[in-house]
Amino acid sequence: MKKKGLKIGTQITLGFWIFLILIVALLWLMQTVFLRPFYRGVKTAQVRAIAESVQRELETEELDERVKNLANDTGMAILVTDEFGTRYSGYKASQRESLIELMDRTTLRTFFDEVNQDGGSRLAVYASPYTYLNGERSEVLLYAKICRSQSGNPRMILIESEITPVSAVVDTLRIQLIAVTVIMAVLGSFLAFFIARRISKPVTDINEAAKGLAQGYTQIHFPAGGTREVNELGETLNYAASEIGKAENLRRELLANVSHDLRTPLTMIEGYAEVMRDIPGENTPENVQIIIDEAGRLTALVNDLLDLSKFEAGEVSLKRERFNLTAEVRDILTRFDKMADFTFPFDAGEEVWVYADRLMISQVVYNLVNNAVSYSGEDKTVYLRQEIRGSAVRISVEDHGEGIPPDKLKDIWERYYKVDREHRRSRAGTGLGLSIVRNILTLHGGTYGVESVLGQGSTFWFELPLAPSENSDYNREQNDSLQN
Ligand code: ADP
């Protein structure tokens, strides 16, 4: 089989490398291409701001102090002149000579005029007259601004800032960047490898285990490991495996039970028939009755199995009609009347009509009463009650028998499920009765349930919606259309 898709490990490593390439590319761009303009931009903003703050102090006593502080703080040279080149205040931070310092009165005056013509301010980069790092010429940024003092005299503010040669920095950064790139690539590859292993290993393990499931081993335990998703997957598969295991066990049990249930009556029928054929005088009505009873057992079992397989195949359709449920229950109870030692008190109240499949609902009642009889023990009384609850009617069947353990209450509705695992013939149940009840009520959209106390008895109940009153044709049509 051709394997589709990339391995988790490959995907993670690939993703990591794409990420790394993007990051490194971005860093290179930022640090080499854009560093110079970025640096200039910052410097320009700085000199402008200094010019502003000098301008505010132009005619105050603090001008000198202010200029000195600013120059010291920023490492720049600052000069304030008038239109004739007279120096009013000036200061430079470093020991190095500055371009401004070299300008004499005449140069300053000419410069003033030039700046004035430029529109009152000029920003320019000049080659510094001094050498700097590695013999490379350093550059200076010169900013000039002409403004008027409070008393209206023209002033020129000159700010000079050295621009550290960026290429030297760029070289350093480049080396650093190469180092970072190499370290990141090595470290990242290791990391990607280990992460990928951590994630893919448990998935591979689970995959191996799941292959066993497909071959019918349901006792598999799916390993947990690594990430939460994988753990959850493991849990889900464990759950699935245990459910499949349960279903498989039930299937096996059913096969065993059904074969047993079929064989026992058949053996009886065969045995009695042979006795009646071979031994004169054994052809008695009692023996014939035994054969008939056993044949009845067989029929009931086969019918249950057929019903259930039809339900499960979804082949059952409801034949709804309006009928008197109360009368129907009474009718079913008469079928049990031949059990001379049992009594079936029915607390009914008014007659109640429902719109449902009559045959199926009677099967529900029959199965519940039949179970109550089978499990009622010494009491030999099965109590039936009919109650109206809002727009529904509830039928309950109560026995004072052995009850059902609380942890089994959910399972009894499952097909083939029996609380009593031993196959006692006196209780010729197949474990199908309640499953049929559940199927029928679900098809009707009804509700059902059971309350049971171990050793005290059980109450099984179901609820169906009441039928609309007889003369309401509209409601009947509604129900018909709902059914379709
Ligand atoms: P069965 O044919 O075995 O009665 P059912 O599906 O009708 O199968 O019932 C499933 C199981 O539920 C029974 O085997 C029995 O253990 C339990 N059960 C059903 N009804 C009662 C009841 N009234 N009292 C106690 N246990 C019951």
Side-chain angles (χ1 to χ4, degrees):
M1 192 171 62
K2 195 169 172 292
K3 308 216 166 176
K4 280 194 220 132
L6 286 177
K7 281 178 149 189
I8 294 182
T10 322
Q11 281 201 20
I12 290 179
T13 317
L14 221 77
F16 165 76
W17 274 102
I18 291 172
F19 182 67
L20 181 75
I21 289 169
L22 277 178
I23 290 253
V24 170
L26 204 72
L27 277 175
W28 278 90
L29 254 156
M30 291 299 266
Q31 303 219 326
T32 57
V33 182
F34 294 124
L35 190 63
R36 200 177 289 263
F38 190 72
Y39 182 72
R40 290 253 165 106
V42 172
K43 277 282 174 203
T44 313
Q46 214 179 352
V47 290
R48 280 185 211 273
I50 292 172
E52 292 272 322
S53 83
V54 172
Q55 187 182 346
R56 277 196 294 275
E57 311 278 346
L58 270 182
E59 268 178 6
T60 61
E61 305 255 300
E62 280 90 50
L63 179 64
D64 275 341
E65 191 60 27
R66 184 83 191 139
V67 165
K68 187 176 164 190
N69 283 345
L70 279 170
N72 272 336
D73 290 350
T74 57
M76 298 182 187
I78 303 173
L79 178 66
V80 182
T81 70
D82 63 7
E83 72 261 54
F84 308 110
T86 322
R87 291 171 183 257
Y88 278 91
S89 177
Y91 195 83
K92 70 175 176 68
S94 61
Q95 293 301 311
R96 207 174 299 119
E97 288 159 278
S98 76
L99 196 65
I100 297 181
E101 238 180 4
L102 293 179
M103 296 164 106
D104 59 14
R105 206 184 155 101
T106 333
T107 320
L108 282 173
R109 192 164 55 196
T110 326
F111 195 69
F112 185 99
D113 292 340
E114 280 175 26
V115 175
N116 211 8
Q117 273 167 15
D118 277 1
S121 76
R122 172 187 277 189
L123 181 77
V125 176
Y126 296 95
S128 159
Y130 313 100
T131 48
Y132 191 75
L133 266 178
N134 305 338
E136 194 179 342
R137 275 231 165 193
S138 118
E139 289 182 323
V140 291
L141 184 75
L142 194 64
Y143 178 65
K145 183 181 183 188
I146 294 174
C147 52
R148 287 192 183 274
S149 67
Q150 280 86 338
S151 47
N153 299 318
R155 291 279 184 272
M156 177 168 72
I157 303 168
L158 270 168
I159 318 249
E160 179 191 340
S161 167
E162 214 165 78
I163 309 177
T164 321
V166 177
S167 47
V169 181
V170 169
D171 280 344
T172 322
L173 286 177
R174 190 167 295 155
I175 294 168
Q176 272 191 0
L177 214 61
I178 291 174
V180 167
T181 311
V182 171
I183 293 173
M184 265 173 74
V186 173
L187 245 155
S189 299
F190 270 110
L191 247 149
F193 176 74
F194 282 114
I195 292 176
R197 242 181 75 108
R198 233 181 110 75
I199 293 175
S200 66
K201 177 88 172 36
V203 175
T204 321
D205 291 352
I206 284 186
N207 186 32
E208 281 308 310
K211 282 179 189 157
L213 190 65
Q215 284 157 12
Y217 303 112
T218 52
Q219 301 297 63
I220 292 171
H221 179 74
F222 288 95
T227 52
R228 184 189 304 176
E229 286 83 352
V230 174
N231 285 344
E232 276 170 13
L233 175 66
E235 276 166 28
T236 310
L237 285 171
N238 277 330
Y239 177 67
S242 85
E243 287 300 302
I244 294 174
K246 269 193 221 159
E248 181 64 12
N249 283 342
L250 281 176
R251 193 185 61 80
R252 257 186 240 128
E253 233 167 79
L254 167 83
L255 210 61
N257 288 357
V258 168
S259 332
H260 184 271
D261 282 347
L262 288 173
R263 202 180 48 206
T264 319
L266 281 175
T267 318
M268 299 269 280
I269 291 171
E270 204 180 9
Y272 274 87
E274 279 173 3
V275 165
M276 285 159 66
R277 182 196 61 198
D278 298 340
I279 304 175
E282 278 298 321
N283 198 344
T284 60
E286 291 79 37
N287 286 350
V288 175
Q289 190 57 46
I290 287 175
I291 291 181
I292 292 172
D293 287 347
E294 293 300 319
R297 252 188 224 281
L298 281 179
T299 314
L301 172 64
V302 172
N303 281 343
D304 274 2
L305 284 169
L306 275 178
D307 282 351
L308 205 67
S309 62
K310 272 194 211 145
F311 278 121
E312 289 187 349
E315 279 172 9
V316 183
S317 59
L318 296 180
K319 288 182 208 69
R320 284 192 199 249
E321 61 183 307
R322 194 171 184 280
F323 68 91
N324 184 331
L325 179 67
T326 323
E328 192 67 30
V329 173
R330 272 200 211 100
D331 190 48
I332 292 160
L333 290 179
T334 55
R335 283 194 244 164
F336 286 90
D337 274 351
K338 60 177 187 276
M339 310 185 92
D341 42 353
F342 271 89
T343 46
F344 302 92
F346 181 26
D347 174 8
E350 58 182 301
E351 305 283 301
V352 162
W353 296 70
V354 292
Y355 188 72
D357 189 311
R358 185 196 203 115
L359 265 179
M360 288 195 192
I361 296 302
S362 41
Q363 193 179 354
V364 167
V365 178
Y366 182 88
N367 284 3
L368 293 182
V369 175
N370 197 30
N371 276 352
V373 168
S374 307
Y375 302 103
S376 70
E378 294 301 299
D379 188 33
K380 299 211 182 297
T381 313
V382 176
Y383 306 83
L384 284 101
R385 189 176 305 113
Q386 170 190 294
E387 294 162 274
I388 309 283
R389 299 190 154 215
S391 61
V393 54
R394 174 186 279 219
I395 302 284
S396 350
V397 181
E398 179 182 343
D399 66 69
H400 293 169
E402 61 200 64
I404 303 163
D407 57 321
K408 302 280 163 61
L409 277 180
K410 243 179 45 221
D411 300 326
I412 54 170
W413 304 94
E414 296 297 327
R415 56 196 193 282
Y416 320 133
Y417 188 87
K418 296 163 131 195
V419 174
D420 180 15
R421 290 278 154 152
E422 282 168 47
H423 208 65
R424 273 189 267 164
R425 184 161 160 74
S426 58
R427 299 182 168 180
T430 51
L432 298 178
L434 286 180
S435 186
I436 291 172
V437 166
R438 181 180 69 169
N439 274 294
I440 292 176
L441 290 170
T442 310
L443 260 184
H444 277 84
T447 50
Y448 56 90
V450 56
E451 282 103 45
S452 185
V453 179
L454 204 56
Q456 287 182 24
S458 321
T459 307
F460 283 81
W461 58 264
F462 69 91
E463 277 180 21
L464 286 174
L466 289 167
S469 67
E470 177 100 273
N471 46 19
S472 161
D473 285 340
Y474 170 76
N475 281 341
R476 190 133 19 112
E477 275 164 24
Q478 285 270 302
N479 275 327
D480 283 344
S481 65
L482 265 181
Q483 197 190 347
N484 301 328

